[in-house]
Amino acid sequence: EPGHQYWQQQVEYKIKVALDEQKRYLSGSQTIRYQNNSPDTLKYLWLQLDQNIYKNDSIAEMTTTYSSDLQSGPSSKPAKLSLNQLRRQQFMSDTELGYTLSNIKDSSGKALNATVVGTLMRVDLNQPLKPGKSVDLSLDFGFNIVEEDAVNSRSGYEHFEEDGNDIFLLAQWFPRLAAYTDYEAWTNKEFLGRGEFTLEFGNYDVAITVPADHLVSATGELTNASKVLTKEQQKRLEQAKKADRPVFIVTEEEALENEKEGTDKQKTWQFKANNVRDFAF
């Protein structure tokens, strides 16, 4: 069990994010409330920028190694790259990856000094954050979504050539507070693609704007079903909450109908999740 002096920080996120389907670009703005439950006064906060792992100068990219048949002597063979490795290098060469960040400021609108260090960012607070107090900050962000199969990523988009559609799987997509723990203080270690990070628990209020023919599944509970689902789908959603067996809220026929034609209209899906450590959709 935790010791009697154990504490844990808490982070609240309010996020508005929009998907540009054609450009495969995600843009968003977020407001963060950070509650300092530690006995320490904090002069800065560390945020994780997982998408920066795909930058050409990231530690993960610069330390990537490739196997080869290279041997010394007259019978030596040239080094080889697989087609998958070439595909990955081509995608990353053709696409500008990693976060674009702007408007990092406190609740009064005053700019906050921020220093990006690889897959991390240190935000210097304008006033030290004392124990038991909270601070609000906000920022805008955006990035080009990676092709999951090309980059061998845990999230991104998957393209289906036969019908021209993409499925978007978004994880590690928004700047997140690094954990501040009683055993290590800031867990501000570079993300190398292998392994997981601990994160602070908190509440999420997330608005996801996508083309109107998209269906969104996400962490938490959908709070505006009447605006994004048909009346019949809303009935199935209510049935699913009490059913003993899985209920298809959207049928296969409805999904196939959605895929046939594109649209220039949009819908915003609103999700809320309480006391969780992360959010994906």
Side-chain angles (χ1 to χ4, degrees):
E1 294 183 357
H4 67 282
Q5 291 185 323
Y6 176 78
W7 47 265
Q8 186 170 307
Q9 309 290 61
Q10 184 164 346
V11 191
E12 316 288 334
Y13 295 92
K14 287 187 177 181
I15 307 174
K16 294 181 179 179
V17 64
L19 171 68
D20 187 324
E21 181 181 25
Q22 299 304 317
K23 294 182 179 179
R24 294 162 175 155
Y25 187 84
L26 198 71
S27 59
S29 61
Q30 67 183 66
T31 300
I32 302 168
R33 171 164 291 180
Y34 186 85
Q35 174 70 33
N36 182 16
N37 295 324
S38 80
D40 306 322
T41 296
L42 305 178
K43 297 179 180 180
Y44 49 81
L45 306 177
W46 280 97
L47 280 73
Q48 296 174 197
L49 304 177
D50 303 73
Q51 289 294 321
N52 281 2
I53 193 175
Y54 304 116
K55 284 181 172 286
N56 290 329
D57 60 353
S58 73
I59 291 180
E61 285 302 306
M62 292 193 295
T63 57
T64 298
T65 58
Y66 299 94
S67 59
S68 74
D69 295 327
L70 185 61
Q71 300 174 353
S72 59
S75 61
S76 62
K77 298 179 181 180
K80 294 181 179 180
L81 287 176
S82 70
L83 289 176
N84 285 338
Q85 289 169 333
L86 284 173
R87 181 188 179 192
R88 184 179 190 276
Q89 289 189 358
Q90 186 68 57
F91 177 86
M92 297 187 72
S93 175
D94 291 343
T95 311
E96 185 176 349
L97 299 173
Y99 280 110
T100 299
L101 301 165
S102 60
N103 295 326
I104 304 170
K105 54 189 178 183
D106 63 19
S107 58
S108 66
K110 187 176 180 180
L112 292 167
N113 184 56
T115 305
V116 174
V117 186
T119 59
L120 295 154
M121 176 171 64
R122 193 187 78 180
V123 177
D124 299 324
L125 301 175
N126 290 328
Q127 298 292 333
L129 181 60
K130 295 183 179 180
K133 301 296 183 179
S134 63
V135 65
D136 292 353
L137 63 148
S138 60
L139 58 89
D140 298 335
F141 65 92
F143 61 89
N144 288 312
I145 303 169
V146 299
E147 185 177 0
E148 188 179 23
D149 289 342
V151 179
N152 191 24
S153 169
R154 295 182 182 186
S155 66
Y157 70 87
E158 183 176 359
H159 182 65
F160 295 86
E161 190 65 42
E162 61 273 13
D163 58 18
N165 283 312
D166 293 340
I167 288 180
F168 294 88
L169 309 166
L170 277 302
Q172 300 174 324
W173 58 276
F174 63 99
R176 305 175 292 176
L177 262 295
Y180 186 80
T181 68
D182 60 344
Y183 63 89
E184 193 179 15
W186 287 109
T187 58
N188 54 333
K189 292 183 174 64
E190 190 83 20
F191 181 41
L192 300 177
R194 301 286 183 179
E196 299 287 348
F197 280 107
T198 184
L199 293 166
E200 307 290 11
F201 280 85
N203 301 327
Y204 288 79
D205 185 348
V206 183
I208 305 167
T209 299
V210 296
D213 58 352
H214 282 221
L215 297 165
V216 180
S217 174
T219 304
E221 296 185 8
L222 178 65
T223 62
N224 67 335
S226 63
K227 294 184 178 180
V228 295
L229 298 177
T230 66
K231 289 185 178 180
E232 185 60 35
Q233 291 167 348
Q234 293 174 52
K235 290 180 181 178
R236 296 176 197 149
L237 179 59
E238 291 305 311
Q239 293 171 1
K241 294 177 181 179
K242 304 174 183 177
D244 295 327
R245 297 175 61 83
V247 174
F248 284 95
I249 298 163
V250 179
T251 66
E252 181 180 358
E253 291 76 18
E254 290 168 342
L256 289 171
E257 190 65 27
N258 270 4
E259 292 181 4
K260 287 183 179 179
E261 297 181 8
T263 178
D264 57 2
K265 297 180 180 179
Q266 293 183 322
K267 287 183 179 179
T268 297
W269 299 62
Q270 190 80 37
F271 290 88
K272 288 188 177 181
N274 293 328
N275 198 31
V276 297
R277 63 181 291 278
D278 201 2
F279 190 101
F281 70 93

